[in-house]
Amino acid sequence: MSRVPIPSFQRWAAAGDDARGEDAVFAIAILGPEAAAAVPELTKLIHDDRKPDSRKRAIDALGCLEAAGFPPLLALLEAKQRTGDTLVANQ
């Protein structure tokens, strides 16, 4: 597990402020798998349909976490496939 402090990045990724949210995704991309501690919070964000911008950023961030980010992304795709929601696959 990572020793990198992740809570600030999680809050930024969920922020309504686009610039700060994008900066958080960029920071997670730089850290890569070292930011794996963010997976639980990012997983919550990808299932929140009320905040599409935060959801997209969380999807992007999980994609940067390599193997640690794949299970929640795969679960989301499978869930959306069952409901016919193709928007997630395009993100």
Side-chain angles (χ1 to χ4, degrees), residues 5-84:
I6 299 299
S8 294
F9 295 131
Q10 294 168 341
R11 283 191 304 276
W12 289 352
D17 177 0
D18 286 339
R20 193 172 3 165
E22 291 300 324
D23 288 348
V25 173
F26 182 69
I28 289 172
I30 290 171
L31 293 170
E34 288 294 313
V39 169
E41 189 63 29
L42 292 169
T43 300
K44 289 178 192 174
L45 289 172
I46 67 173
H47 293 286
D48 189 349
D49 293 334
R50 298 169 299 154
K51 299 179 180 177
D53 292 338
S54 295
R55 179 182 180 184
K56 182 184 181 320
R57 287 191 293 266
I59 289 169
D60 291 345
L62 284 167
C64 296
L65 298 177
E66 298 177 8
F70 294 153
L73 291 173
L74 182 58
L76 178 66
L77 285 170
E78 290 172 343
K80 295 301 180 179
Q81 182 180 22
R82 284 191 297 275
T83 64

